[in-house]
Every structure is written in C-alpha cells, then in structure tokens.
mmCIF file of all heavy atoms in Angstrom:
data_model
loop_
_atom_site.group_PDB
_atom_site.id
_atom_site.type_symbol
_atom_site.label_atom_id
_atom_site.label_comp_id
_atom_site.label_asym_id
_atom_site.label_seq_id
_atom_site.Cartn_x
_atom_site.Cartn_y
_atom_site.Cartn_z
ATOM 1 N N GLU J 141 135.369 69.641 150.585
ATOM 2 C CA GLU J 141 135.450 68.597 151.604
ATOM 3 C C GLU J 141 135.122 69.138 152.986
ATOM 4 O O GLU J 141 134.458 68.466 153.783
ATOM 5 C CB GLU J 141 136.848 67.975 151.589
ATOM 6 C CG GLU J 141 137.128 67.142 150.347
ATOM 7 C CD GLU J 141 138.518 66.530 150.345
ATOM 8 O OE1 GLU J 141 139.436 67.127 150.946
ATOM 9 O OE2 GLU J 141 138.682 65.467 149.736
ATOM 10 N N ASP J 142 135.592 70.356 153.280
ATOM 11 C CA ASP J 142 135.300 70.959 154.577
ATOM 12 C C ASP J 142 133.804 71.193 154.735
ATOM 13 O O ASP J 142 133.218 70.872 155.781
ATOM 14 C CB ASP J 142 136.059 72.277 154.723
ATOM 15 C CG ASP J 142 135.708 73.005 156.013
ATOM 16 O OD1 ASP J 142 136.146 72.546 157.092
ATOM 17 O OD2 ASP J 142 134.976 74.025 155.955
ATOM 18 N N LEU J 143 133.173 71.747 153.709
ATOM 19 C CA LEU J 143 131.741 72.026 153.779
ATOM 20 C C LEU J 143 130.934 70.734 153.876
ATOM 21 O O LEU J 143 129.981 70.639 154.660
ATOM 22 C CB LEU J 143 131.317 72.837 152.554
ATOM 23 C CG LEU J 143 129.866 73.323 152.509
ATOM 24 C CD1 LEU J 143 129.496 74.080 153.782
ATOM 25 C CD2 LEU J 143 129.646 74.194 151.289
ATOM 26 N N ASN J 144 131.317 69.724 153.111
ATOM 27 C CA ASN J 144 130.632 68.428 153.183
ATOM 28 C C ASN J 144 130.798 67.802 154.566
ATOM 29 O O ASN J 144 129.857 67.224 155.113
ATOM 30 C CB ASN J 144 131.187 67.494 152.112
ATOM 31 C CG ASN J 144 130.424 66.185 152.041
ATOM 32 O OD1 ASN J 144 129.286 66.122 151.603
ATOM 33 N ND2 ASN J 144 131.075 65.105 152.490
ATOM 34 N N GLY J 145 131.999 67.931 155.149
ATOM 35 C CA GLY J 145 132.237 67.393 156.489
ATOM 36 C C GLY J 145 131.420 68.106 157.553
ATOM 37 O O GLY J 145 130.908 67.481 158.495
ATOM 38 N N ARG J 146 131.292 69.437 157.437
ATOM 39 C CA ARG J 146 130.466 70.193 158.386
ATOM 40 C C ARG J 146 129.002 69.754 158.303
ATOM 41 O O ARG J 146 128.319 69.638 159.327
ATOM 42 C CB ARG J 146 130.584 71.691 158.108
ATOM 43 C CG ARG J 146 131.921 72.306 158.521
ATOM 44 C CD ARG J 146 131.962 73.797 158.227
ATOM 45 N NE ARG J 146 133.223 74.377 158.630
ATOM 46 C CZ ARG J 146 133.513 74.773 159.862
ATOM 47 N NH1 ARG J 146 132.605 74.647 160.831
ATOM 48 N NH2 ARG J 146 134.691 75.292 160.156
ATOM 49 N N LEU J 147 128.541 69.523 157.084
ATOM 50 C CA LEU J 147 127.166 69.043 156.927
ATOM 51 C C LEU J 147 126.995 67.638 157.486
ATOM 52 O O LEU J 147 125.954 67.314 158.068
ATOM 53 C CB LEU J 147 126.776 69.084 155.446
ATOM 54 C CG LEU J 147 126.415 70.481 154.913
ATOM 55 C CD1 LEU J 147 126.450 70.516 153.392
ATOM 56 C CD2 LEU J 147 125.042 70.894 155.432
ATOM 57 N N ASP J 148 128.015 66.795 157.340
ATOM 58 C CA ASP J 148 127.985 65.454 157.947
ATOM 59 C C ASP J 148 127.780 65.558 159.456
ATOM 60 O O ASP J 148 126.950 64.853 160.050
ATOM 61 C CB ASP J 148 129.296 64.717 157.666
ATOM 62 C CG ASP J 148 129.192 63.781 156.479
ATOM 63 O OD1 ASP J 148 128.069 63.389 156.132
ATOM 64 O OD2 ASP J 148 130.238 63.456 155.894
ATOM 65 N N ARG J 149 128.573 66.443 160.087
ATOM 66 C CA ARG J 149 128.465 66.612 161.548
ATOM 67 C C ARG J 149 127.108 67.173 161.944
ATOM 68 O O ARG J 149 126.512 66.758 162.950
ATOM 69 C CB ARG J 149 129.591 67.523 162.048
ATOM 70 C CG ARG J 149 130.973 66.875 161.976
ATOM 71 C CD ARG J 149 132.015 67.678 162.745
ATOM 72 N NE ARG J 149 132.248 68.973 162.110
ATOM 73 C CZ ARG J 149 133.119 69.168 161.132
ATOM 74 N NH1 ARG J 149 133.821 68.145 160.652
ATOM 75 N NH2 ARG J 149 133.298 70.372 160.628
ATOM 76 N N ALA J 150 126.605 68.120 161.144
ATOM 77 C CA ALA J 150 125.295 68.697 161.448
ATOM 78 C C ALA J 150 124.194 67.644 161.356
ATOM 79 O O ALA J 150 123.259 67.629 162.172
ATOM 80 C CB ALA J 150 125.013 69.855 160.483
ATOM 81 N N ILE J 151 124.308 66.753 160.381
ATOM 82 C CA ILE J 151 123.322 65.677 160.221
ATOM 83 C C ILE J 151 123.358 64.732 161.424
ATOM 84 O O ILE J 151 122.317 64.306 161.945
ATOM 85 C CB ILE J 151 123.580 64.914 158.909
ATOM 86 C CG1 ILE J 151 123.255 65.803 157.706
ATOM 87 C CG2 ILE J 151 122.770 63.626 158.850
ATOM 88 C CD1 ILE J 151 123.771 65.269 156.380
ATOM 89 N N ARG J 152 124.568 64.399 161.866
ATOM 90 C CA ARG J 152 124.704 63.486 163.012
ATOM 91 C C ARG J 152 124.209 64.123 164.316
ATOM 92 O O ARG J 152 123.676 63.433 165.190
ATOM 93 C CB ARG J 152 126.158 63.050 163.172
ATOM 94 C CG ARG J 152 126.664 62.129 162.081
ATOM 95 C CD ARG J 152 127.961 61.453 162.508
ATOM 96 N NE ARG J 152 129.000 62.425 162.852
ATOM 97 C CZ ARG J 152 129.894 62.902 161.990
ATOM 98 N NH1 ARG J 152 129.858 62.497 160.724
ATOM 99 N NH2 ARG J 152 130.802 63.758 162.370
ATOM 100 N N ASN J 153 124.401 65.434 164.451
ATOM 101 C CA ASN J 153 124.117 66.098 165.728
ATOM 102 C C ASN J 153 122.664 66.530 165.901
ATOM 103 O O ASN J 153 122.211 66.743 167.025
ATOM 104 C CB ASN J 153 125.015 67.336 165.886
ATOM 105 C CG ASN J 153 126.484 66.965 166.045
ATOM 106 O OD1 ASN J 153 126.800 65.851 166.471
ATOM 107 N ND2 ASN J 153 127.379 67.878 165.707
ATOM 108 N N THR J 154 121.954 66.671 164.802
ATOM 109 C CA THR J 154 120.571 67.130 164.930
ATOM 110 C C THR J 154 119.639 66.009 165.385
ATOM 111 O O THR J 154 119.849 64.836 165.060
ATOM 112 C CB THR J 154 120.064 67.717 163.601
ATOM 113 O OG1 THR J 154 118.761 68.281 163.816
ATOM 114 C CG2 THR J 154 119.962 66.648 162.527
ATOM 115 N N THR J 155 118.627 66.388 166.142
ATOM 116 C CA THR J 155 117.625 65.422 166.602
ATOM 117 C C THR J 155 116.284 65.653 165.918
ATOM 118 O O THR J 155 115.309 64.950 166.215
ATOM 119 C CB THR J 155 117.435 65.531 168.130
ATOM 120 O OG1 THR J 155 117.064 66.878 168.468
ATOM 121 C CG2 THR J 155 118.724 65.151 168.852
ATOM 122 N N HIS J 156 116.238 66.622 165.021
ATOM 123 C CA HIS J 156 114.991 66.966 164.334
ATOM 124 C C HIS J 156 115.011 66.400 162.915
ATOM 125 O O HIS J 156 115.926 66.667 162.142
ATOM 126 C CB HIS J 156 114.807 68.481 164.290
ATOM 127 C CG HIS J 156 114.794 69.123 165.646
ATOM 128 N ND1 HIS J 156 113.749 68.986 166.519
ATOM 129 C CD2 HIS J 156 115.731 69.891 166.285
ATOM 130 C CE1 HIS J 156 114.011 69.647 167.632
ATOM 131 N NE2 HIS J 156 115.207 70.203 167.515
ATOM 132 N N SER J 157 113.999 65.631 162.583
ATOM 133 C CA SER J 157 113.964 64.986 161.264
ATOM 134 C C SER J 157 113.894 66.001 160.124
ATOM 135 O O SER J 157 114.524 65.811 159.077
ATOM 136 C CB SER J 157 112.767 64.031 161.185
ATOM 137 O OG SER J 157 111.550 64.739 161.394
ATOM 138 N N THR J 158 113.149 67.091 160.319
ATOM 139 C CA THR J 158 113.035 68.106 159.266
ATOM 140 C C THR J 158 114.378 68.776 159.009
ATOM 141 O O THR J 158 114.777 68.995 157.861
ATOM 142 C CB THR J 158 111.998 69.180 159.661
ATOM 143 O OG1 THR J 158 110.732 68.554 159.880
ATOM 144 C CG2 THR J 158 111.865 70.228 158.554
ATOM 145 N N GLU J 159 115.087 69.078 160.097
ATOM 146 C CA GLU J 159 116.400 69.709 159.964
ATOM 147 C C GLU J 159 117.390 68.751 159.306
ATOM 148 O O GLU J 159 118.209 69.153 158.476
ATOM 149 C CB GLU J 159 116.915 70.134 161.341
ATOM 150 C CG GLU J 159 118.124 71.057 161.283
ATOM 151 C CD GLU J 159 118.499 71.579 162.658
ATOM 152 O OE1 GLU J 159 118.614 70.744 163.601
ATOM 153 O OE2 GLU J 159 118.683 72.799 162.802
ATOM 154 N N LYS J 160 117.284 67.478 159.650
ATOM 155 C CA LYS J 160 118.162 66.472 159.037
ATOM 156 C C LYS J 160 117.920 66.394 157.537
ATOM 157 O O LYS J 160 118.875 66.328 156.744
ATOM 158 C CB LYS J 160 117.928 65.109 159.683
ATOM 159 C CG LYS J 160 118.853 64.012 159.170
ATOM 160 C CD LYS J 160 118.649 62.714 159.932
ATOM 161 C CE LYS J 160 119.621 61.648 159.455
ATOM 162 N NZ LYS J 160 119.461 60.385 160.231
ATOM 163 N N GLU J 161 116.665 66.404 157.122
ATOM 164 C CA GLU J 161 116.339 66.372 155.703
ATOM 165 C C GLU J 161 116.891 67.599 154.989
ATOM 166 O O GLU J 161 117.373 67.508 153.856
ATOM 167 C CB GLU J 161 114.820 66.283 155.518
ATOM 168 C CG GLU J 161 114.234 64.931 155.907
ATOM 169 C CD GLU J 161 112.724 64.917 155.788
ATOM 170 O OE1 GLU J 161 112.160 65.937 155.337
ATOM 171 O OE2 GLU J 161 112.111 63.881 156.135
ATOM 172 N N THR J 162 116.824 68.755 155.656
ATOM 173 C CA THR J 162 117.361 69.990 155.069
ATOM 174 C C THR J 162 118.860 69.883 154.858
ATOM 175 O O THR J 162 119.374 70.237 153.787
ATOM 176 C CB THR J 162 117.046 71.190 155.985
ATOM 177 O OG1 THR J 162 115.628 71.342 156.095
ATOM 178 C CG2 THR J 162 117.649 72.474 155.409
ATOM 179 N N PHE J 163 119.570 69.383 155.865
ATOM 180 C CA PHE J 163 121.026 69.251 155.757
ATOM 181 C C PHE J 163 121.410 68.221 154.688
ATOM 182 O O PHE J 163 122.407 68.400 153.975
ATOM 183 C CB PHE J 163 121.635 68.870 157.111
ATOM 184 C CG PHE J 163 121.596 69.975 158.128
ATOM 185 C CD1 PHE J 163 121.462 69.694 159.483
ATOM 186 C CD2 PHE J 163 121.689 71.302 157.744
ATOM 187 C CE1 PHE J 163 121.431 70.705 160.431
ATOM 188 C CE2 PHE J 163 121.655 72.325 158.679
ATOM 189 C CZ PHE J 163 121.522 72.028 160.033
ATOM 190 N N LEU J 164 120.655 67.131 154.582
ATOM 191 C CA LEU J 164 120.921 66.133 153.537
ATOM 192 C C LEU J 164 120.736 66.749 152.154
ATOM 193 O O LEU J 164 121.529 66.488 151.231
ATOM 194 C CB LEU J 164 119.997 64.929 153.705
ATOM 195 C CG LEU J 164 120.350 63.956 154.834
ATOM 196 C CD1 LEU J 164 119.203 62.972 155.062
ATOM 197 C CD2 LEU J 164 121.637 63.201 154.512
ATOM 198 N N ALA J 165 119.697 67.577 152.003
ATOM 199 C CA ALA J 165 119.462 68.244 150.721
ATOM 200 C C ALA J 165 120.601 69.212 150.399
ATOM 201 O O ALA J 165 121.039 69.315 149.243
ATOM 202 C CB ALA J 165 118.125 68.982 150.753
ATOM 203 N N LEU J 166 121.097 69.906 151.406
ATOM 204 C CA LEU J 166 122.214 70.826 151.204
ATOM 205 C C LEU J 166 123.485 70.062 150.839
ATOM 206 O O LEU J 166 124.288 70.528 150.019
ATOM 207 C CB LEU J 166 122.448 71.663 152.473
ATOM 208 C CG LEU J 166 121.384 72.720 152.777
ATOM 209 C CD1 LEU J 166 121.598 73.315 154.160
ATOM 210 C CD2 LEU J 166 121.407 73.818 151.721
ATOM 211 N N GLN J 167 123.668 68.894 151.437
ATOM 212 C CA GLN J 167 124.830 68.070 151.106
ATOM 213 C C GLN J 167 124.777 67.633 149.646
ATOM 214 O O GLN J 167 125.804 67.620 148.946
ATOM 215 C CB GLN J 167 124.882 66.865 152.039
ATOM 216 C CG GLN J 167 126.245 66.192 152.094
ATOM 217 C CD GLN J 167 126.318 65.181 153.223
ATOM 218 O OE1 GLN J 167 125.421 64.366 153.395
ATOM 219 N NE2 GLN J 167 127.385 65.231 154.002
ATOM 220 N N ASN J 168 123.604 67.279 149.172
ATOM 221 C CA ASN J 168 123.444 66.943 147.753
ATOM 222 C C ASN J 168 123.729 68.144 146.867
ATOM 223 O O ASN J 168 124.271 68.003 145.766
ATOM 224 C CB ASN J 168 122.034 66.413 147.485
ATOM 225 C CG ASN J 168 121.820 65.009 148.012
ATOM 226 O OD1 ASN J 168 122.761 64.221 148.100
ATOM 227 N ND2 ASN J 168 120.587 64.679 148.376
ATOM 228 N N GLU J 169 123.372 69.328 147.335
ATOM 229 C CA GLU J 169 123.627 70.545 146.564
ATOM 230 C C GLU J 169 125.125 70.808 146.442
ATOM 231 O O GLU J 169 125.603 71.246 145.393
ATOM 232 C CB GLU J 169 122.936 71.735 147.235
ATOM 233 C CG GLU J 169 123.009 73.030 146.438
ATOM 234 C CD GLU J 169 122.345 72.937 145.076
ATOM 235 O OE1 GLU J 169 121.384 72.152 144.935
ATOM 236 O OE2 GLU J 169 122.798 73.649 144.156
ATOM 237 N N VAL J 170 125.879 70.528 147.514
ATOM 238 C CA VAL J 170 127.338 70.676 147.456
ATOM 239 C C VAL J 170 127.914 69.760 146.374
ATOM 240 O O VAL J 170 128.775 70.171 145.583
ATOM 241 C CB VAL J 170 127.981 70.351 148.827
ATOM 242 C CG1 VAL J 170 129.510 70.336 148.720
ATOM 243 C CG2 VAL J 170 127.550 71.365 149.871
#
C-alpha cells in the first residue's frame, strides 16, 4: 500500500507524459 501510494503521488506530481506512463506501468507491476 505504501509503494502504491507513493506511485499515486508521483503520477499526480509529474508533468511529463512519458514519466507518467512509466509510473503507471510500475503501479501495474506492484
């Protein structure tokens, strides 16, 4: 839950679409 929450915050805070896609993929991996 902590790792998923950190990825949630990273997704919300990033302004780069490529980085957002990377974080979403990592969230799916979790």
Side-chain angles (χ1 to χ4, degrees):
E141 290 180 331
D142 176 73
L143 185 53
N144 186 71
R146 287 181 180 277
L147 282 163
D148 263 338
R149 290 192 293 273
I151 291 167
R152 290 195 303 269
N153 293 336
T154 186
T155 57
H156 302 288
S157 59
T158 301
E159 192 173 50
K160 183 175 183 178
E161 289 177 4
T162 298
F163 289 148
L164 284 169
L166 289 171
Q167 198 169 47
N168 287 331
E169 186 61 30
V170 173

